[in-house]
Amino acid sequence: MFVGTRILTVEDDERIRTAVKLALEDEGWQVLEADNGEDALALFKREPADVVLIDIMLPGIDGFEVCRSLRRNNDVPIVMVTARDDTHDVVAGLEAGADDYLTKPFAPKELSARIRALLRRARTTDPGITHLTFGELEIIPEEGRVMLGDSELHLTKTEFRLLVELASSPGRVFSREVLLERVWGYDYFGDGRLVDVHVRRLRTKIEADPANPRHVVTVRGLGYKLQS
Amino acid sequence: MATTDVAPAADAELDEIEDEPRRRRLRGTLRDDRRFGLRARIVMAFVLGALLLSGLFVTVAYTLTRNNLLDSRESTSLRIVGRNASAVLQALNVAERTPEEIVANLSTPTGSLPILQIGSEWVPLDPLNFAEADVNSELLSVVIGGEPAQMRYRVGSTPYLVIGIPLIEDDAAYFEAVPLRDIDDTLRSLGLALAGGAAISVFAGAGLGWWAARRVLLPLDDIGEAAVAISAGELDTRLEAEADRDLGRLTASFNLMAGTLQQRIERDARFASEVSHELRSPLMTLTASLEVLHNQRDEMPARAQTALDLLETDLDRFQQLVEDLLEISRFDVGSVALQPSNFEITEFVRQALAVTGSSPEIVHADGVEGLLIHADKRRLARVIANLVDNANKYADGVTSVEIERVGTGIRISLTDEGPGVPEDEQLAIFDRFSRGVAGGSRGAGTGVGLGLALVAEHIRLHGGTVSVEPVNDDGTGSRFVIDMPGVLV
């Protein structure tokens, strides 16, 4: 299913890069390498990867900036790697556009599982449904497109999956745990901040006023729901 | 064998480090056993000062007034009495009138009461108020001896100035009792007024003292509040600069102290974070490389396989140690923050136990299923994992987990059937690097004794407590009880 999938790892520590490359190749992935942000962006332009793995601490432009640059015109799944698990790094990485994060040292098998989850196609409850409409918001799961009025929105794969998941039962409250499991493939102890930051990012794209959302609504203490 | 005495030695070293902090005495506070606070002492000093001053003033004013009044009354009376005495002597010599008539005709403008003694006969003007018996015997003997004399004393309740003048030629003596009631009344009123004034000045002194104490202690209260805020983690708390020179020095040095403290704590926090990065990078390489080796394990000779297994086990241990040390250093620098969310407590406990791979019986009352609590799920999962880990090492695992509702809180108890925790270690096992008697030897997979210390820190962060108690009467079996009040949603 994922044969020939290419992963770009951006990591300045050569030993880590080599060890992770070996381990990922054992898992069956093709691995491209870059040891700094500039090279990574140039390499990605020449040979687009299917998933990008970015270390936050890089010489020159840092991981956050690499992430933002990639996000400007691409929806490629991005996994941030941090050596510090403090809230600031995690949230800043997710807000820069990362889809998921891992804290060093992680098991490469765990990384493979994350990558597989990110590459999964958007799931719809009923394949027969081709259009979901919420006021001006129109979701076309078949084509992976979201329209707001006449203009098409550029969502990342994860943002799109999150929206489709919420749209699968309009008005139903989805807890963070359920969304973590269905969108990211996490077990019970996934990090709720993933959901929170992605909801925030989604709102800036689909809401007229992200501070007072009309579509993706927070249900205090319970989770999120989609309404029209 | 050699490793068994390592833990006590390390403990002794820790004991030495935990010495009493150096305390610097403030000048002028050498006596620590004062019963009253500074505020009370300042007020008392002011009251005492006011009392002394007004007491002195009252005494002087009263004495001066009294002497003045008495002196002027005395001199007036002496003049009148002298005149009356010579009038009596003249009349007696003329012998036209009876002594009664003489006495009755005397002029007594101050209302004084004359009494005349001729031989053994006493002729009073007003025998009801001043008669022979009312003449003081000492005074009488002096006057009879030929000397004029005066004396102040009370007859009944009335104070009198009694003046006696001997009339030698007629073997007689003339006495006049000058009533001093008006002076007495005046002095009494004056005394009351002065005492009232003194009382008012004492109260005023107390008020002034209270105000002064407040003025002096207000900056100290501010400093106290700021210190409490700083110890609660608000490291950027500073005092407002005081215009007053003396207080300005105090606030400036306090702010300097707070600034230095903040810098140090932030440097420590940065250090922990740097160390975290430095340690995790080689661990990352090790983890990934070992996974590559693990993928080839089946093709390795048996000896290499054993070595690989050892490497993997100890890498896990090392990784856990690094994580625990970093976590505990984060608690030390106060850079931990709860990431609370709402979740079902029973489902949580089931999931947390599933992660640890143990499957003890979960016991709870009917009402507990589905209760939502507000807490940090990952920290609480760490707590459960560490307690299960502890039970696995020392007590063959947790046998049952009980969830109870206690008021608006939750109590989770994990029970094992191990050897139990001796009574004198039931508090100490939550200390760092404390592994107790059972933990003295380092078997496979034993930690370094941070697990339970972290349990205590995580629970404390939630405002809760954790304790251990024996299960059976003979002290065997342990029940670790986590109490988290107020976490129910």
Side-chain angles (χ1 to χ4, degrees), chain B residues 328 429-433 449-458 460:
Chain B
I328 215 116
I429 56 163
F430 295 103
D431 292 343
R432 295 169 192 187
F433 301 106
L450 283 174
L452 291 182
L454 278 169
V455 165
E457 295 279 10
H458 286 311
R460 189 159 34 226

Side-chain angles (χ1 to χ4, degrees), chain B residues 307-348:
Chain B
L308 179 65
D309 294 346
L310 285 174
L311 266 178
E312 282 179 327
T313 313
D314 264 26
L315 181 64
D316 281 347
R317 269 176 70 183
F318 186 50
Q319 208 162 307
Q320 192 58 53
L321 169 61
V322 168
E323 289 309 316
D324 285 354
L325 278 172
L326 286 175
E327 188 71 37
I328 215 116
S329 75
R330 276 195 286 267
F331 276 109
D332 286 348
V333 299
S335 64
V336 284
L338 282 179
Q339 274 176 40
S341 59
N342 294 347
F343 52 90
E344 279 183 27
I345 181 62
T346 46
E347 175 64 11
F348 164 79

